[in-house]
mmCIF file of all heavy atoms in Angstrom:
data_model
loop_
_atom_site.group_PDB
_atom_site.id
_atom_site.type_symbol
_atom_site.label_atom_id
_atom_site.label_comp_id
_atom_site.label_asym_id
_atom_site.label_seq_id
_atom_site.Cartn_x
_atom_site.Cartn_y
_atom_site.Cartn_z
ATOM 1 N N LEU Y 1 3.954 0.952 -17.813
ATOM 2 C CA LEU Y 1 4.043 1.200 -16.324
ATOM 3 C C LEU Y 1 3.184 2.381 -15.931
ATOM 4 O O LEU Y 1 2.897 2.461 -14.741
ATOM 5 C CB LEU Y 1 5.478 1.351 -15.912
ATOM 6 C CG LEU Y 1 6.355 0.129 -15.957
ATOM 7 C CD1 LEU Y 1 7.799 0.432 -15.544
ATOM 8 C CD2 LEU Y 1 5.819 -0.984 -14.999
ATOM 9 N N LEU Y 2 2.945 3.275 -16.774
ATOM 10 C CA LEU Y 2 2.073 4.372 -16.430
ATOM 11 C C LEU Y 2 0.624 4.105 -16.774
ATOM 12 O O LEU Y 2 -0.283 4.824 -16.264
ATOM 13 C CB LEU Y 2 2.507 5.637 -17.330
ATOM 14 C CG LEU Y 2 3.676 6.460 -16.896
ATOM 15 C CD1 LEU Y 2 3.972 7.575 -17.907
ATOM 16 C CD2 LEU Y 2 3.520 6.993 -15.492
ATOM 17 N N GLY Y 3 0.345 3.036 -17.603
ATOM 18 C CA GLY Y 3 -1.017 2.806 -17.999
ATOM 19 C C GLY Y 3 -1.448 3.713 -19.190
ATOM 20 O O GLY Y 3 -2.506 3.574 -19.658
ATOM 21 N N GLY Y 4 -0.527 4.503 -19.664
ATOM 22 C CA GLY Y 4 -0.780 5.406 -20.814
ATOM 23 C C GLY Y 4 0.508 6.134 -21.187
ATOM 24 O O GLY Y 4 1.606 5.779 -20.771
ATOM 25 N N ASP Y 5 0.313 7.145 -22.064
ATOM 26 C CA ASP Y 5 1.522 7.961 -22.504
ATOM 27 C C ASP Y 5 1.787 9.095 -21.617
ATOM 28 O O ASP Y 5 2.900 9.555 -21.438
ATOM 29 C CB ASP Y 5 1.365 8.423 -23.907
ATOM 30 C CG ASP Y 5 1.238 7.274 -24.946
ATOM 31 O OD1 ASP Y 5 1.835 6.191 -24.574
ATOM 32 O OD2 ASP Y 5 0.702 7.361 -26.014
ATOM 33 N N ALA Y 6 0.776 9.613 -20.919
ATOM 34 C CA ALA Y 6 0.912 10.721 -19.960
ATOM 35 C C ALA Y 6 -0.313 10.738 -19.123
ATOM 36 O O ALA Y 6 -1.362 10.201 -19.501
ATOM 37 C CB ALA Y 6 1.110 12.071 -20.708
ATOM 38 N N LEU Y 7 -0.253 11.373 -17.947
ATOM 39 C CA LEU Y 7 -1.377 11.396 -17.063
ATOM 40 C C LEU Y 7 -1.361 12.627 -16.150
ATOM 41 O O LEU Y 7 -0.319 13.260 -15.985
ATOM 42 C CB LEU Y 7 -1.485 10.166 -16.236
ATOM 43 C CG LEU Y 7 -0.345 9.900 -15.206
ATOM 44 C CD1 LEU Y 7 -0.600 10.556 -13.917
ATOM 45 C CD2 LEU Y 7 -0.123 8.393 -15.003
ATOM 46 N N LEU Y 8 -2.517 13.042 -15.781
ATOM 47 C CA LEU Y 8 -2.668 14.090 -14.775
ATOM 48 C C LEU Y 8 -3.047 13.533 -13.452
ATOM 49 O O LEU Y 8 -4.031 12.792 -13.369
ATOM 50 C CB LEU Y 8 -3.766 15.146 -15.227
ATOM 51 C CG LEU Y 8 -4.172 16.112 -14.228
ATOM 52 C CD1 LEU Y 8 -3.123 17.086 -13.861
ATOM 53 C CD2 LEU Y 8 -5.461 16.884 -14.644
ATOM 54 N N ARG Y 9 -2.269 13.760 -12.440
ATOM 55 C CA ARG Y 9 -2.493 13.220 -11.129
ATOM 56 C C ARG Y 9 -2.928 14.445 -10.232
ATOM 57 O O ARG Y 9 -2.291 15.440 -10.220
ATOM 58 C CB ARG Y 9 -1.279 12.505 -10.503
ATOM 59 C CG ARG Y 9 -1.502 11.853 -9.246
ATOM 60 C CD ARG Y 9 -0.174 11.300 -8.632
ATOM 61 N NE ARG Y 9 0.424 10.349 -9.593
ATOM 62 C CZ ARG Y 9 0.163 9.049 -9.514
ATOM 63 N NH1 ARG Y 9 -0.733 8.564 -8.669
ATOM 64 N NH2 ARG Y 9 0.786 8.207 -10.354
ATOM 65 N N ALA Y 10 -4.026 14.187 -9.519
ATOM 66 C CA ALA Y 10 -4.531 15.287 -8.651
ATOM 67 C C ALA Y 10 -5.160 14.657 -7.393
ATOM 68 O O ALA Y 10 -5.599 13.550 -7.331
ATOM 69 C CB ALA Y 10 -5.676 15.982 -9.461
ATOM 70 N N ASP Y 11 -5.158 15.472 -6.370
ATOM 71 C CA ASP Y 11 -5.737 15.115 -5.097
ATOM 72 C C ASP Y 11 -7.119 15.758 -4.895
ATOM 73 O O ASP Y 11 -7.768 15.626 -3.763
ATOM 74 C CB ASP Y 11 -4.850 15.441 -3.925
ATOM 75 C CG ASP Y 11 -4.448 16.943 -3.916
ATOM 76 O OD1 ASP Y 11 -5.042 17.717 -4.568
ATOM 77 O OD2 ASP Y 11 -3.456 17.209 -3.143
ATOM 78 N N THR Y 12 -7.629 16.494 -5.921
ATOM 79 C CA THR Y 12 -8.942 16.980 -6.007
ATOM 80 C C THR Y 12 -9.528 16.692 -7.416
ATOM 81 O O THR Y 12 -8.710 16.515 -8.282
ATOM 82 C CB THR Y 12 -9.001 18.461 -5.710
ATOM 83 O OG1 THR Y 12 -8.127 19.169 -6.643
ATOM 84 C CG2 THR Y 12 -8.560 18.795 -4.291
ATOM 85 N N PRO Y 13 -10.871 16.714 -7.575
ATOM 86 C CA PRO Y 13 -11.383 16.466 -8.906
ATOM 87 C C PRO Y 13 -10.764 17.437 -9.894
ATOM 88 O O PRO Y 13 -10.703 18.664 -9.760
ATOM 89 C CB PRO Y 13 -12.898 16.716 -8.725
ATOM 90 C CG PRO Y 13 -13.110 16.376 -7.307
ATOM 91 C CD PRO Y 13 -11.892 16.837 -6.603
ATOM 92 N N PRO Y 14 -10.200 16.888 -11.041
ATOM 93 C CA PRO Y 14 -9.428 17.783 -11.998
ATOM 94 C C PRO Y 14 -10.282 18.620 -12.896
ATOM 95 O O PRO Y 14 -9.683 19.358 -13.642
ATOM 96 C CB PRO Y 14 -8.670 16.697 -12.776
ATOM 97 C CG PRO Y 14 -9.483 15.436 -12.761
ATOM 98 C CD PRO Y 14 -10.181 15.421 -11.367
ATOM 99 N N GLY Y 15 -11.620 18.469 -12.929
ATOM 100 C CA GLY Y 15 -12.457 19.242 -13.769
ATOM 101 C C GLY Y 15 -12.500 18.603 -15.219
ATOM 102 O O GLY Y 15 -12.040 17.546 -15.427
ATOM 103 N N GLU Y 16 -13.076 19.335 -16.101
ATOM 104 C CA GLU Y 16 -13.376 18.864 -17.443
ATOM 105 C C GLU Y 16 -12.279 19.145 -18.468
ATOM 106 O O GLU Y 16 -12.229 18.556 -19.511
ATOM 107 C CB GLU Y 16 -14.729 19.440 -17.971
ATOM 108 C CG GLU Y 16 -15.935 19.049 -17.166
ATOM 109 C CD GLU Y 16 -17.184 19.638 -17.789
ATOM 110 O OE1 GLU Y 16 -17.144 20.363 -18.659
ATOM 111 O OE2 GLU Y 16 -18.292 19.245 -17.236
ATOM 112 N N LEU Y 17 -11.408 20.097 -18.163
ATOM 113 C CA LEU Y 17 -10.382 20.565 -19.129
ATOM 114 C C LEU Y 17 -9.538 19.414 -19.649
ATOM 115 O O LEU Y 17 -9.339 19.253 -20.887
ATOM 116 C CB LEU Y 17 -9.552 21.650 -18.514
ATOM 117 C CG LEU Y 17 -8.418 22.110 -19.399
ATOM 118 C CD1 LEU Y 17 -8.886 22.702 -20.743
ATOM 119 C CD2 LEU Y 17 -7.489 23.139 -18.710
ATOM 120 N N PRO Y 18 -8.989 18.515 -18.790
ATOM 121 C CA PRO Y 18 -8.134 17.511 -19.320
ATOM 122 C C PRO Y 18 -8.796 16.548 -20.333
ATOM 123 O O PRO Y 18 -8.271 16.200 -21.366
ATOM 124 C CB PRO Y 18 -7.725 16.667 -18.085
ATOM 125 C CG PRO Y 18 -7.856 17.665 -16.982
ATOM 126 C CD PRO Y 18 -8.966 18.504 -17.315
ATOM 127 N N VAL Y 19 -10.036 16.238 -20.071
ATOM 128 C CA VAL Y 19 -10.798 15.349 -20.990
ATOM 129 C C VAL Y 19 -11.199 16.072 -22.196
ATOM 130 O O VAL Y 19 -11.026 15.520 -23.322
ATOM 131 C CB VAL Y 19 -12.102 14.832 -20.212
ATOM 132 C CG1 VAL Y 19 -12.951 14.041 -21.211
ATOM 133 C CG2 VAL Y 19 -11.745 13.872 -19.053
ATOM 134 N N LEU Y 20 -11.640 17.346 -22.104
ATOM 135 C CA LEU Y 20 -11.983 18.065 -23.313
ATOM 136 C C LEU Y 20 -10.771 18.301 -24.231
ATOM 137 O O LEU Y 20 -10.980 18.231 -25.474
ATOM 138 C CB LEU Y 20 -12.619 19.394 -22.886
ATOM 139 C CG LEU Y 20 -13.954 19.354 -22.200
ATOM 140 C CD1 LEU Y 20 -14.359 20.805 -21.770
ATOM 141 C CD2 LEU Y 20 -15.013 18.718 -23.076
ATOM 142 N N GLU Y 21 -9.629 18.522 -23.621
ATOM 143 C CA GLU Y 21 -8.401 18.706 -24.395
ATOM 144 C C GLU Y 21 -8.016 17.458 -25.045
ATOM 145 O O GLU Y 21 -7.585 17.468 -26.243
ATOM 146 C CB GLU Y 21 -7.296 19.264 -23.480
ATOM 147 C CG GLU Y 21 -6.116 19.766 -24.245
ATOM 148 C CD GLU Y 21 -6.307 21.059 -25.053
ATOM 149 O OE1 GLU Y 21 -7.347 21.751 -24.752
ATOM 150 O OE2 GLU Y 21 -5.626 21.368 -25.962
ATOM 151 N N ALA Y 22 -8.162 16.307 -24.397
ATOM 152 C CA ALA Y 22 -7.804 15.030 -25.008
ATOM 153 C C ALA Y 22 -8.796 14.724 -26.188
ATOM 154 O O ALA Y 22 -8.380 14.239 -27.232
ATOM 155 C CB ALA Y 22 -7.905 13.953 -23.939
ATOM 156 N N GLN Y 23 -10.041 15.042 -26.001
ATOM 157 C CA GLN Y 23 -10.980 14.834 -27.160
ATOM 158 C C GLN Y 23 -10.691 15.738 -28.337
ATOM 159 O O GLN Y 23 -10.760 15.319 -29.441
ATOM 160 C CB GLN Y 23 -12.397 15.136 -26.596
ATOM 161 C CG GLN Y 23 -12.883 14.086 -25.619
ATOM 162 C CD GLN Y 23 -14.303 14.515 -25.050
ATOM 163 O OE1 GLN Y 23 -14.671 15.644 -25.081
ATOM 164 N NE2 GLN Y 23 -14.930 13.517 -24.427
ATOM 165 N N ARG Y 24 -10.310 16.948 -28.009
ATOM 166 C CA ARG Y 24 -9.964 17.925 -29.088
ATOM 167 C C ARG Y 24 -8.687 17.428 -29.913
ATOM 168 O O ARG Y 24 -8.692 17.588 -31.161
ATOM 169 C CB ARG Y 24 -9.657 19.219 -28.565
ATOM 170 C CG ARG Y 24 -9.366 20.395 -29.575
ATOM 171 C CD ARG Y 24 -9.054 21.670 -28.923
ATOM 172 N NE ARG Y 24 -7.684 21.649 -28.295
ATOM 173 C CZ ARG Y 24 -6.586 21.849 -28.950
ATOM 174 N NH1 ARG Y 24 -6.570 22.066 -30.274
ATOM 175 N NH2 ARG Y 24 -5.442 21.764 -28.300
ATOM 176 N N LEU Y 25 -7.719 16.783 -29.210
ATOM 177 C CA LEU Y 25 -6.527 16.357 -29.928
ATOM 178 C C LEU Y 25 -6.694 14.932 -30.410
ATOM 179 O O LEU Y 25 -5.701 14.441 -30.987
ATOM 180 C CB LEU Y 25 -5.371 16.472 -28.904
ATOM 181 C CG LEU Y 25 -4.979 17.814 -28.449
ATOM 182 C CD1 LEU Y 25 -3.971 17.827 -27.255
ATOM 183 C CD2 LEU Y 25 -4.370 18.611 -29.627
ATOM 184 N N GLY Y 26 -7.779 14.274 -30.242
ATOM 185 C CA GLY Y 26 -7.981 12.992 -30.705
ATOM 186 C C GLY Y 26 -7.170 11.836 -29.907
ATOM 187 O O GLY Y 26 -6.821 10.801 -30.570
ATOM 188 N N LEU Y 27 -7.028 12.094 -28.672
ATOM 189 C CA LEU Y 27 -6.308 11.137 -27.824
ATOM 190 C C LEU Y 27 -7.335 10.213 -27.166
ATOM 191 O O LEU Y 27 -8.437 10.610 -26.754
ATOM 192 C CB LEU Y 27 -5.527 11.858 -26.739
ATOM 193 C CG LEU Y 27 -4.313 12.708 -27.241
ATOM 194 C CD1 LEU Y 27 -3.798 13.563 -26.126
ATOM 195 C CD2 LEU Y 27 -3.262 11.843 -27.908
ATOM 196 N N ARG Y 28 -6.929 8.998 -26.941
ATOM 197 C CA ARG Y 28 -7.704 8.088 -26.140
ATOM 198 C C ARG Y 28 -7.486 8.499 -24.636
ATOM 199 O O ARG Y 28 -6.377 8.825 -24.351
ATOM 200 C CB ARG Y 28 -7.205 6.608 -26.310
ATOM 201 C CG ARG Y 28 -7.494 6.048 -27.643
ATOM 202 C CD ARG Y 28 -7.084 4.614 -27.787
ATOM 203 N NE ARG Y 28 -5.681 4.419 -27.640
ATOM 204 C CZ ARG Y 28 -5.070 3.544 -26.929
ATOM 205 N NH1 ARG Y 28 -5.749 2.753 -26.177
ATOM 206 N NH2 ARG Y 28 -3.671 3.487 -26.914
ATOM 207 N N HIS Y 29 -8.448 8.389 -23.791
ATOM 208 C CA HIS Y 29 -8.402 8.822 -22.453
ATOM 209 C C HIS Y 29 -9.332 8.042 -21.598
ATOM 210 O O HIS Y 29 -10.330 7.460 -22.017
ATOM 211 C CB HIS Y 29 -8.774 10.370 -22.407
ATOM 212 C CG HIS Y 29 -10.185 10.657 -22.874
ATOM 213 N ND1 HIS Y 29 -11.329 10.530 -22.055
ATOM 214 C CD2 HIS Y 29 -10.680 10.953 -24.120
ATOM 215 C CE1 HIS Y 29 -12.365 10.856 -22.735
ATOM 216 N NE2 HIS Y 29 -12.022 11.099 -24.034
ATOM 217 N N THR Y 30 -8.961 8.033 -20.299
ATOM 218 C CA THR Y 30 -9.736 7.324 -19.287
ATOM 219 C C THR Y 30 -9.390 7.996 -17.943
ATOM 220 O O THR Y 30 -8.429 8.776 -17.825
ATOM 221 C CB THR Y 30 -9.522 5.802 -19.273
ATOM 222 O OG1 THR Y 30 -10.451 5.172 -18.421
ATOM 223 C CG2 THR Y 30 -8.098 5.461 -18.860
ATOM 224 N N GLN Y 31 -10.094 7.583 -16.920
ATOM 225 C CA GLN Y 31 -9.917 8.064 -15.566
ATOM 226 C C GLN Y 31 -9.858 6.990 -14.547
ATOM 227 O O GLN Y 31 -10.511 5.933 -14.723
ATOM 228 C CB GLN Y 31 -10.995 9.101 -15.176
ATOM 229 C CG GLN Y 31 -11.050 10.302 -16.145
ATOM 230 C CD GLN Y 31 -12.060 11.311 -15.713
ATOM 231 O OE1 GLN Y 31 -12.022 11.801 -14.580
ATOM 232 N NE2 GLN Y 31 -13.001 11.716 -16.580
ATOM 233 N N THR Y 32 -9.168 7.161 -13.484
ATOM 234 C CA THR Y 32 -9.160 6.262 -12.314
ATOM 235 C C THR Y 32 -9.168 7.115 -11.051
ATOM 236 O O THR Y 32 -8.802 8.251 -11.013
ATOM 237 C CB THR Y 32 -7.908 5.411 -12.301
ATOM 238 O OG1 THR Y 32 -6.773 6.108 -11.985
ATOM 239 C CG2 THR Y 32 -7.711 4.661 -13.634
ATOM 240 N N GLN Y 33 -9.698 6.455 -9.979
ATOM 241 C CA GLN Y 33 -9.713 7.094 -8.623
ATOM 242 C C GLN Y 33 -9.202 6.072 -7.706
ATOM 243 O O GLN Y 33 -9.657 4.903 -7.725
ATOM 244 C CB GLN Y 33 -11.084 7.519 -8.234
ATOM 245 C CG GLN Y 33 -11.621 8.658 -9.135
ATOM 246 C CD GLN Y 33 -12.895 9.207 -8.764
ATOM 247 O OE1 GLN Y 33 -13.310 9.129 -7.583
ATOM 248 N NE2 GLN Y 33 -13.709 9.698 -9.740
ATOM 249 N N THR Y 34 -8.281 6.412 -6.845
ATOM 250 C CA THR Y 34 -7.663 5.486 -5.851
ATOM 251 C C THR Y 34 -7.702 6.048 -4.456
ATOM 252 O O THR Y 34 -7.593 7.248 -4.276
ATOM 253 C CB THR Y 34 -6.147 5.348 -6.222
ATOM 254 O OG1 THR Y 34 -6.062 4.890 -7.611
ATOM 255 C CG2 THR Y 34 -5.571 4.266 -5.303
ATOM 256 N N PHE Y 35 -8.055 5.160 -3.475
ATOM 257 C CA PHE Y 35 -8.213 5.591 -2.099
ATOM 258 C C PHE Y 35 -8.069 4.407 -1.200
ATOM 259 O O PHE Y 35 -8.325 3.274 -1.584
ATOM 260 C CB PHE Y 35 -9.529 6.318 -1.888
ATOM 261 C CG PHE Y 35 -10.708 5.457 -2.262
ATOM 262 C CD1 PHE Y 35 -11.355 4.743 -1.273
ATOM 263 C CD2 PHE Y 35 -11.176 5.429 -3.574
ATOM 264 C CE1 PHE Y 35 -12.459 3.932 -1.645
ATOM 265 C CE2 PHE Y 35 -12.248 4.647 -3.875
ATOM 266 C CZ PHE Y 35 -12.974 3.909 -2.945
ATOM 267 N N PRO Y 36 -7.713 4.643 0.088
ATOM 268 C CA PRO Y 36 -7.633 3.552 1.037
ATOM 269 C C PRO Y 36 -8.984 3.274 1.688
ATOM 270 O O PRO Y 36 -9.722 4.194 1.948
ATOM 271 C CB PRO Y 36 -6.612 3.991 2.057
ATOM 272 C CG PRO Y 36 -6.727 5.494 1.995
ATOM 273 C CD PRO Y 36 -7.108 5.899 0.612
ATOM 274 N N SER Y 37 -9.317 2.014 1.936
ATOM 275 C CA SER Y 37 -10.577 1.725 2.638
ATOM 276 C C SER Y 37 -10.451 0.249 3.123
ATOM 277 O O SER Y 37 -9.615 -0.503 2.683
ATOM 278 C CB SER Y 37 -11.753 1.846 1.690
ATOM 279 O OG SER Y 37 -12.980 1.618 2.378
ATOM 280 N N MET Y 38 -11.372 -0.027 4.010
ATOM 281 C CA MET Y 38 -11.450 -1.404 4.530
ATOM 282 C C MET Y 38 -12.265 -2.314 3.659
ATOM 283 O O MET Y 38 -13.363 -1.840 3.119
ATOM 284 C CB MET Y 38 -12.104 -1.432 5.953
ATOM 285 C CG MET Y 38 -11.278 -0.569 6.974
ATOM 286 S SD MET Y 38 -9.602 -1.203 7.272
ATOM 287 C CE MET Y 38 -9.976 -2.724 8.104
ATOM 288 N N LEU Y 39 -11.811 -3.567 3.477
ATOM 289 C CA LEU Y 39 -12.625 -4.584 2.719
ATOM 290 C C LEU Y 39 -13.050 -5.604 3.772
ATOM 291 O O LEU Y 39 -12.309 -5.944 4.726
ATOM 292 C CB LEU Y 39 -11.781 -5.236 1.680
ATOM 293 C CG LEU Y 39 -11.432 -4.415 0.443
ATOM 294 C CD1 LEU Y 39 -10.645 -5.225 -0.586
ATOM 295 C CD2 LEU Y 39 -12.642 -3.691 -0.193
ATOM 296 N N ARG Y 40 -14.187 -6.178 3.548
ATOM 297 C CA ARG Y 40 -14.717 -7.186 4.531
ATOM 298 C C ARG Y 40 -15.154 -8.408 3.717
ATOM 299 O O ARG Y 40 -15.999 -8.298 2.777
ATOM 300 C CB ARG Y 40 -15.836 -6.601 5.350
ATOM 301 C CG ARG Y 40 -16.388 -7.645 6.371
ATOM 302 C CD ARG Y 40 -17.375 -7.028 7.200
ATOM 303 N NE ARG Y 40 -18.025 -8.010 8.127
ATOM 304 C CZ ARG Y 40 -18.889 -7.723 9.045
ATOM 305 N NH1 ARG Y 40 -19.332 -6.452 9.245
ATOM 306 N NH2 ARG Y 40 -19.381 -8.604 9.879
ATOM 307 N N VAL Y 41 -14.692 -9.557 4.133
ATOM 308 C CA VAL Y 41 -15.154 -10.810 3.557
ATOM 309 C C VAL Y 41 -15.515 -11.715 4.755
ATOM 310 O O VAL Y 41 -14.631 -12.164 5.489
ATOM 311 C CB VAL Y 41 -14.091 -11.536 2.713
ATOM 312 C CG1 VAL Y 41 -14.640 -12.833 2.188
ATOM 313 C CG2 VAL Y 41 -13.642 -10.623 1.553
ATOM 314 N N GLY Y 42 -16.831 -11.936 4.973
ATOM 315 C CA GLY Y 42 -17.272 -12.704 6.149
ATOM 316 C C GLY Y 42 -16.964 -11.825 7.377
ATOM 317 O O GLY Y 42 -17.353 -10.735 7.532
ATOM 318 N N GLU Y 43 -16.112 -12.423 8.257
ATOM 319 C CA GLU Y 43 -15.711 -11.705 9.494
ATOM 320 C C GLU Y 43 -14.359 -11.131 9.380
ATOM 321 O O GLU Y 43 -13.843 -10.525 10.330
ATOM 322 C CB GLU Y 43 -15.731 -12.743 10.662
ATOM 323 C CG GLU Y 43 -17.125 -13.256 10.968
ATOM 324 C CD GLU Y 43 -18.116 -12.224 11.250
ATOM 325 O OE1 GLU Y 43 -17.810 -11.171 11.959
ATOM 326 O OE2 GLU Y 43 -19.336 -12.314 10.817
ATOM 327 N N ARG Y 44 -13.720 -11.286 8.219
ATOM 328 C CA ARG Y 44 -12.322 -10.683 8.035
ATOM 329 C C ARG Y 44 -12.347 -9.334 7.517
ATOM 330 O O ARG Y 44 -13.036 -9.098 6.515
ATOM 331 C CB ARG Y 44 -11.509 -11.695 7.176
ATOM 332 C CG ARG Y 44 -11.123 -12.998 7.853
ATOM 333 C CD ARG Y 44 -10.272 -13.827 6.885
ATOM 334 N NE ARG Y 44 -9.700 -14.976 7.553
ATOM 335 C CZ ARG Y 44 -8.557 -15.057 8.056
ATOM 336 N NH1 ARG Y 44 -7.775 -13.950 8.173
ATOM 337 N NH2 ARG Y 44 -8.170 -16.197 8.641
ATOM 338 N N LEU Y 45 -11.554 -8.455 8.132
ATOM 339 C CA LEU Y 45 -11.350 -7.117 7.676
ATOM 340 C C LEU Y 45 -9.900 -6.845 7.292
ATOM 341 O O LEU Y 45 -9.006 -7.369 7.881
ATOM 342 C CB LEU Y 45 -11.752 -6.093 8.763
ATOM 343 C CG LEU Y 45 -13.238 -6.022 9.079
ATOM 344 C CD1 LEU Y 45 -13.485 -5.179 10.305
ATOM 345 C CD2 LEU Y 45 -14.043 -5.430 7.871
ATOM 346 N N LYS Y 46 -9.739 -6.055 6.216
ATOM 347 C CA LYS Y 46 -8.370 -5.732 5.731
ATOM 348 C C LYS Y 46 -8.344 -4.325 5.155
ATOM 349 O O LYS Y 46 -9.196 -4.080 4.250
ATOM 350 C CB LYS Y 46 -7.846 -6.770 4.800
ATOM 351 C CG LYS Y 46 -6.419 -6.538 4.295
ATOM 352 C CD LYS Y 46 -5.448 -6.822 5.396
ATOM 353 C CE LYS Y 46 -4.024 -6.732 4.902
ATOM 354 N NZ LYS Y 46 -3.038 -6.938 5.933
#
């Protein structure tokens, strides 16, 4: 349900430390970014 074993959540770019620390400890790691925006398909907006 978390998508992993632990995560850092931030409202500003978290910098390089979390990724570098994950690499040092031999952990698998990835990043995501989430935000609200409008989508448009043809004339429909949502």
Side-chain angles (χ1 to χ4, degrees):
L1 289 175
L2 283 177
D5 295 335
L7 61 89
L8 169 66
R9 188 185 298 273
D11 54 17
T12 57
E16 298 181 354
L17 175 62
V19 172
L20 293 177
E21 192 66 21
Q23 293 174 342
R24 184 183 70 83
L25 294 169
L27 295 171
R28 295 184 292 134
H29 59 88
T30 187
Q31 301 185 51
T32 69
Q33 297 181 27
T34 306
F35 56 95
S37 182
M38 300 297 293
L39 292 183
R40 179 176 179 177
V41 179
E43 299 300 322
R44 287 181 172 269
L45 289 170
K46 182 68 175 178

